[in-house]
Amino acid sequence: MNNRRKKRLALASALIGGVAAIASLLLYALNSNLNLFYTPTEIVHGKTDTGVKPEAGQRIRIGGMVTEGSVVRDPNSLHIEFAVHDAAGGEVIVTYDDLLPDLFREGQGIVAQGTLTDDGKLEATEVLARHDENYMPPEVAEAMGQSHQQMDYSEEQKAGSY
Amino acid sequence: MWKWLHSYADPERAYKLAGKLLPWFSAIALGMIGVGSIWGLMFAPVDYQQGDSYRIIFIHVPAASMSMSAYMAMASSAFIGLVWQIKAADWAAAAIAPVGAVLTFIALITGATWGKPMWGTWWVWDARLTSELVLLFLYLGVISLYAAFEDKVLAARAAGILAIVGVINIPIIKYSVEWWNSLHQPATIKITEESSMPMEMLAPLLINILGFGVMIGAITLVRFRAEILARNGMRPWVRELAKAEGVK
């Protein structure tokens, strides 16, 4: 390699190295702000690194698993109440008044957006189902005891409660 | 070995080699995407939760993963072009850019169509989706920089620097679902451990991913040949070629 090529190689490598360093510092500084949602534990106990707790009235997203057996629905309207928990043990009650996505089930991962009320519940305006990375045919799922029931809505509920 | 490789920096030899490789790439790409898509869309078993809707994975995942691979290929060519000043490498980078941009667009669109029924929303500003959108803008930036200059040596240098700077986005896309919590699920296909998908779904998916890769190669070869002709229009060998093919 002649000298000019060596110089260009050094410059190009320095460019890549510099950009990588800037990007990693930037991402490190932004770290927790790039998370899409709070976990229930973070809402109850505060974030692990900063201890910051979301306040009542704040608009936040919460992500976690719908606790088995916690779903309570109003038979006459779309109003639904369920608990969301995570592996670290936190649990937050979420209330919601609209149609849920197809994948919503007990035990399913979800992300809900809404305002935190004074009694620590989340009044959701949007509930999104979070799909995990597992794919399998129904026979296999049944053998593993993982068959999921879809939510069914009664005619009255479909007619709406507004 | 480097001497042998260097001889292909000559535009005429590169043009002829690309012409020889093209039918192979086209045939393999058509075959693999044909087999993978028909197998995946018609014969692979349904998913226990998503039913038939999961089948969009056979287009979405190949397009998304290959959009990143295409970017790496483009950036590597740009790097070689910049450091060793090999014009053929610059032309190759310029040839890949639009192919990668279209794949990124396909990945974003198929993802949104799947997200609406499954998640309940077309779009959410989580780390994975946002960084993939940034990838699309990077591709568009490289394409427009290359088109913006009349002097193509200067154009390739400007576009090449942007392509190399943009490489930083690739690990961010790849690991976004592990570093931060996001709505997008983590990777299903794992290299070090067993994939979270049974073989009868995984096989057509892998065939399609490889097929998409070869397809990028085939389309890039066509564009690469066109780029060589456009940049060497005044050379005697191009004029002879044009005469032989009866072009006025």
Side-chain angles (χ1 to χ4, degrees):
Chain A
M1 258 202 288
N2 63 28
N3 265 338
R4 286 184 55 207
R5 278 184 192 157
K6 256 184 208 156
K7 206 173 142 193
R8 284 197 299 263
L9 182 64
L11 274 175
S13 311
L15 181 71
I16 298 175
V19 171
I22 293 169
S24 25
L25 285 174
L26 203 68
L27 292 178
Y28 178 74
L30 284 173
N31 194 12
S32 53
N33 293 325
L34 287 173
N35 287 322
L36 183 71
F37 49 78
Y38 285 92
T39 63
T41 314
E42 284 169 350
I43 293 179
V44 178
H45 301 293
K47 293 210 169 202
T48 38
D49 45 350
T50 55
V52 175
K53 248 192 210 179
E55 292 159 25
Q58 204 178 328
R59 257 184 89 72
I60 57 164
R61 285 203 193 91
I62 176 177
M65 297 289 205
V66 180
T67 311
E68 301 267 352
S70 73
V71 180
V72 183
R73 0 196 37 226
D74 181 352
N76 300 318
S77 71
L78 287 171
H79 186 81
I80 185 167
E81 211 176 289
F82 54 90
V84 172
H85 71 278
D86 59 24
E91 197 166 52
V92 170
I93 307 281
V94 177
T95 60
Y96 187 55
D97 282 301
D98 210 335
L99 284 173
L100 292 159
D102 275 4
L103 279 182
F104 184 91
R105 279 134 209 183
E106 292 188 345
Q108 176 76 36
I110 61 123
V111 174
Q113 187 179 32
T115 33
L116 212 56
T117 57
D118 291 323
D119 51 351
K121 287 184 183 177
L122 187 87
E123 233 177 62
T125 50
E126 185 184 41
V127 172
L128 303 177
R130 191 170 182 278
H131 188 262
D132 60 19
E133 69 272 32
N134 298 312
Y135 293 79
M136 54 183 111
E139 309 90 72
V140 180
E142 217 160 276
M144 288 171 71
Q146 286 206 14
S147 59
H148 283 243
Q149 288 296 311
Q150 273 207 23
M151 284 274 173
D152 27 58
Y153 292 97
S154 71
E155 284 308 310
E156 203 174 345
Q157 285 169 327
K158 276 181 184 159
S161 59
Y162 301 100
Chain B
M1 185 222 162
W2 293 112
K3 271 243 158 63
W4 165 83
L5 197 64
H6 231 97
S7 68
Y8 285 103
D10 171 47
E12 190 179 358
R13 295 196 62 178
Y15 179 84
K16 287 194 173 134
L17 178 71
K20 255 183 241 159
L21 290 176
L22 182 58
W24 295 99
F25 272 74
S26 315
I28 295 171
L30 276 177
M32 288 186 93
I33 294 177
V35 170
S37 300
I38 292 171
W39 185 358
L41 296 181
M42 297 175 71
F43 299 108
V46 297
D47 181 61
Y48 76 117
Q49 262 193 333
Q50 309 173 45
D52 278 325
S53 319
Y54 94 97
R55 290 184 199 278
I56 207 157
I57 198 178
F58 295 111
I59 307 297
H60 175 73
V61 170
S65 70
M66 283 303 123
S67 71
M68 292 192 274
S69 306
Y71 194 92
M72 285 316 289
M74 180 181 77
S76 315
S77 317
F79 186 80
I80 292 168
L82 213 58
V83 173
W84 284 272
Q85 310 249 298
I86 294 168
K87 284 184 186 160
D90 286 336
W91 300 331
I96 301 172
V99 188
V102 170
L103 281 175
T104 313
F105 186 71
I106 292 174
L108 288 169
I109 291 294
T110 50
T113 2
W114 178 85
K116 185 60 188 165
M118 288 302 143
W119 291 341
T121 181
W122 296 99
W123 185 264
V124 58
W125 291 101
D126 84 346
R128 171 57 71 81
L129 276 64
T130 310
S131 55
E132 182 76 7
L133 186 67
V134 169
L135 183 72
L136 179 64
F137 292 151
L138 278 171
Y139 272 124
L140 296 180
V142 169
I143 295 169
S144 19
L145 261 184
Y146 191 73
F149 293 88
E150 203 66 50
D151 176 3
K152 287 301 168 195
V153 176
L154 194 65
R157 197 180 301 159
I161 290 174
L162 177 63
I164 291 171
V165 168
V167 166
I168 196 65
N169 193 33
I170 299 296
I172 296 179
I173 299 177
K174 175 92 179 75
Y175 295 105
S176 54
V177 287
E178 289 168 32
W179 289 342
W180 307 293
N181 55 42
S182 61
L183 189 62
H184 194 287
Q185 62 265 35
T188 293
I189 304 170
K190 299 181 189 98
I191 293 165
T192 45
E193 37 191 316
E194 209 186 332
S195 295
S196 21
M197 192 181 226
M199 208 49 211
E200 59 262 50
M201 291 177 181
L202 190 62
L205 182 57
L206 291 177
I207 292 175
N208 249 12
I209 292 178
L210 279 176
F212 266 60
V214 182
M215 178 186 73
I216 296 175
I219 301 174
T220 303
L221 283 176
V222 176
R223 291 186 40 82
F224 181 55
R225 274 160 62 94
E227 191 71 25
I228 292 178
L229 292 185
R231 297 293 144 251
N232 294 280
M234 288 299 143
R235 296 285 167 86
W237 70 268
V238 178
R239 297 193 156 193
E240 261 164 49
L241 195 77
K243 226 179 270 167
E245 305 222 342
V247 186
K248 272 168 211 157

